[in-house]
Amino acid sequence: MKKLALIVLLAFFGTANAQTEKGNWIVSGATSLGFNNNKITNKSGDVSVDGQKTTTFNIKPAIGYFVIDNLAVGLDLGYEVKKYDEFINIDEKIKVTTNTFSVLPSATYYFKTDSKAFPYVGAGAGYALNSSKTANIAPYKTNFFQWKAKAGLAYFITPSIAIDLGFSYDQLSTKFDESQMTRENKVIFKNFGANVGINVVL
């Protein structure tokens, strides 16, 4: 009986380790835990002014293909909805809603272990489309360059399904050129947060 249990255990660990081998696909879906800290920085020439901070909720699906053992290359997608009050003056404020969709080619490396837990690190860069709507004004759309870095732990509860616990840092930036000004204006969005999700290996 003990030998049978040992064989089953070894077979399970062996199958779990095989999930990050070349030729497999990995599909994941993650969402923030609700305490992502967003900070907006406005730059005009050499002057930098910190703006409003807010808390957001987002969804981050991703798909990757293991081109070699433990290294998956694919796309990280993102969709974020943010609502906050923007102060016009000390006594007046307006409601602002923003929607951001991003597509980032990325690479993620999983560190092989003798257990069901696989630490990983990854990075990606691409573009994002942001749509901002204020009161009854038509949405204003802006394209951003975005890059991200991530790290975490994928814990396989079955040979093909893992719980993903991770951290990520994202930065979006865009430039504005004003004809009457000689200096460059730039807006930077920074986001650091913790995420939880599910990974499925095919």
Side-chain angles (χ1 to χ4, degrees):
M1 188 67 172
K2 291 182 179 180
K3 290 183 178 180
L4 178 60
L6 180 60
I7 291 173
V8 172
L9 187 62
L10 291 174
F12 180 84
F13 284 140
T15 305
N17 281 318
Q19 301 311 303
T20 59
E21 288 184 350
K22 178 181 178 180
N24 286 339
W25 290 86
I26 184 167
V27 180
S28 65
T31 182
S32 67
L33 293 176
F35 53 82
N36 280 12
N37 181 18
N38 291 277
K39 181 179 180 181
I40 301 175
T41 302
N42 293 282
K43 290 186 177 181
S44 183
D46 296 329
V47 179
S48 178
V49 179
D50 289 337
Q52 183 182 21
K53 292 181 180 180
T54 188
T55 301
T56 64
F57 179 81
N58 52 52
I59 299 174
K60 300 177 179 179
I63 185 170
Y65 178 77
F66 286 95
V67 292
I68 60 174
D69 288 355
N70 307 317
L71 178 63
V73 175
L75 291 175
D76 280 19
L77 307 177
Y79 180 70
E80 177 184 273
V81 179
K82 181 190 305 180
K83 295 182 179 181
Y84 59 93
D85 291 328
E86 185 174 278
F87 287 86
I88 300 176
N89 53 56
I90 193 171
D91 298 318
E92 186 179 2
K93 62 183 179 180
I94 57 176
K95 292 187 179 297
V96 180
T97 300
T98 64
N99 294 272
T100 306
F101 177 73
S102 59
V103 179
L104 283 71
S106 64
T108 305
Y109 186 83
Y110 293 82
F111 296 91
K112 187 175 181 179
T113 69
D114 293 328
S115 70
K116 295 180 287 185
F118 288 69
Y120 67 84
V121 293
Y127 287 91
L129 174 64
N130 176 269
S131 176
S132 178
K133 182 175 176 59
T134 304
N136 295 321
I137 302 175
Y140 177 76
K141 297 182 179 181
T142 309
N143 292 317
F144 289 86
F145 170 74
Q146 180 178 1
W147 66 268
K148 71 179 293 184
K150 59 183 179 179
L153 183 73
Y155 184 85
F156 282 87
I157 56 177
T158 75
S160 59
I161 298 177
I163 296 176
D164 189 329
L165 301 173
F167 296 91
S168 64
Y169 176 82
D170 301 72
Q171 182 168 303
L172 296 85
S173 61
T174 189
K175 298 177 182 179
F176 297 95
D177 294 324
E178 298 185 14
S179 57
Q180 298 179 348
M181 302 180 66
T182 57
R183 59 190 180 187
E184 177 185 82
N185 294 317
K186 190 174 185 179
V187 176
I188 302 172
F189 293 82
K190 302 173 183 178
N191 175 49
F192 175 79
N195 304 279
V196 60
I198 296 292
N199 294 341
V200 178
V201 177
L202 305 174

